[in-house]
Each structure stands twice: as C-alpha cells, then as structure tokens.
C-alpha cells in the first residue's frame, strides 16, 4: 500500500542522485521494496566516497560508515537515515538533514525493536545496515512474540559480539 512518507523518500533520492551513472531513477510509488532499499544503500556508499557503488552494505561499506547522530555534519547522510526510517515505518520528523529529537527518537525506537534498550539515540553502522534493507524488526501478522523476543535476545547478547554478522530480523 502507498505510504506518502516512502514516496517522499523516493522523490528525494530521485531529485538528489538522478544523473549519476550508478543511480537508477525510482518509481515514486510510495511502496518500500528492495529497489528503494538498494537505492538508499547506493546513496550511502556515494556519500561515504566509496568506489564500486553496488548497493550492498558489506565489510567495506561498514568500515567506512560512521555512527550517525547529532554530531554528523553531512546532511545527506542524515537524510538517507531519515528516508530509511520512513521506509521502515518510523516517524523521524521529516527528511530535513537535521538529526533532531524526532530523528533521535526514531533511532531509539528502531534500536529497541532490534533488541537494544540501552542506547544513546545514534545509529552505528550495523544498525544502519539493518535499517536500509527489507528485513522487518517489528512483529509481523504471522509472527509470534516469543520468537521475536528470542531474536532480540540473540542480537543483544550474541550477534552484536560477532563483528562480521548482520543483525537478525526481529519479526
């Protein structure tokens, strides 16, 4: 179903990155999907100054990616994060490029859904990777609470200590 905030994210990506050889213009249909997520990952790689932009957040992208928070000065990095929040269904105060309290609250809520209750409202690289993909971190209609709790427990107690592992969905 069409989400106006996702459509705004798609329109921002198109207006910001169209004309770059690595960017394929999105259909601004307001539906989050793999194409939109890949465009966000490519935009992240571009803003980090990486070569070989492929839209896949691997070890090279992770090692180049900073923790994004209130001290981040690259407004497009913040906008990419804000677009990711909208694509995941979190309200973040707009695609403003300002790491506002609303953006910080979205980061806190997302990290809590991943399983981390003790956090500072920033988005470290592994959380950014989790945000910019199609994995769900909220309970889906066919999901069960006890399985979701186990997934969150694994992220918090095990996955975070394995540097080359991705956070697992908590749905």
């Amino acid at each position: 179903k069409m989400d106006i905030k996702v459509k705004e994210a798609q329109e921002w990506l198109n207006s910001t990155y169209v004309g770059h050889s690595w960017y394929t213009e999105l259909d601004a249909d307001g539906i989050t999907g793999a194409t939109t997520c890949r465009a966000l990952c490519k935009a992240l790689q571009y803003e980090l100054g990486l070569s070989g932009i492929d839209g896949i957040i691997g070890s090279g992208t992770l090692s180049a990616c900073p923790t994004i928070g209130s001290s981040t000065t690259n407004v497009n990095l913040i906008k990419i994060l804000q677009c990711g929040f909208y694509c995941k269904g979190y309200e973040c105060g707009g695609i403003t490029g300002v790491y506002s309290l609303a953006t910080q609250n979205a980061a806190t809520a997302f990290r809590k859904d991943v399983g981390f209750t003790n956090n500072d409202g920033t988005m470290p690289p592994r959380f950014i990777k989790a945000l910019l993909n199609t994995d769900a971190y909220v309970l889906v209609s066919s999901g069960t609470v006890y399985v979701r709790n186990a997934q969150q427990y694994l992220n918090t107690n095990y996955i975070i200590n394995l540097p080359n592992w991705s956070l697992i969905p908590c749905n």
Side-chain angles (χ1 to χ4, degrees):
K1 123 185 169 193
M2 201 282 282
D3 181 318
I4 191 68
K5 298 294 188 179
V6 173
K7 185 174 194 237
E8 288 175 23
Q10 293 164 330
E11 290 170 344
W12 177 79
L13 282 162
N14 285 341
S15 67
T16 304
Y17 299 108
V18 75
H20 290 279
S21 61
W22 52 265
Y23 186 77
T24 303
E25 189 169 358
L26 296 170
D27 178 17
D29 59 6
I31 299 170
T32 300
T35 306
T36 301
C37 291
R38 175 145 308 179
L40 286 167
C41 293
K42 286 181 175 184
L44 175 70
Q45 291 171 324
Y46 174 77
E47 294 298 333
L48 295 175
L50 302 177
S51 58
I53 296 171
D54 61 6
I56 299 167
I57 299 180
S59 58
T61 303
L62 281 174
S63 64
C65 187
T67 292
I68 299 177
S70 58
S71 63
T72 301
T73 56
N74 181 327
V75 296
N76 281 350
L77 284 179
I78 297 170
K79 287 180 179 183
I80 291 164
L81 202 68
Q82 290 168 329
C83 289
F85 285 132
Y86 281 141
C87 288
K88 284 277 200 267
Y90 295 86
E91 176 52 53
C92 62
I95 304 168
T96 62
V98 175
Y99 206 88
S100 64
L101 182 59
T103 303
Q104 183 176 328
N105 289 341
T108 299
F110 178 74
R111 287 178 61 170
K112 183 174 186 262
D113 286 339
V114 176
F116 295 80
T117 55
N118 182 15
N119 69 73
D120 59 6
T122 64
M123 288 291 284
R126 287 169 72 185
F127 290 88
I128 295 168
K129 179 179 181 177
L131 182 70
L132 301 183
N133 66 36
T134 57
D135 293 340
Y137 293 90
V138 295
L139 190 64
V140 295
S141 60
S142 60
T144 53
V145 172
Y146 71 90
V147 172
R148 181 170 190 259
N149 290 342
Q151 293 165 327
Q152 291 171 323
Y153 179 85
L154 289 170
N155 277 337
T156 304
N157 294 286
Y158 295 100
I159 303 299
I160 200 66
N161 297 317
L162 301 169
N164 296 321
W165 286 45
S166 298
L167 295 166
I168 58 174
C170 301
N171 58 357

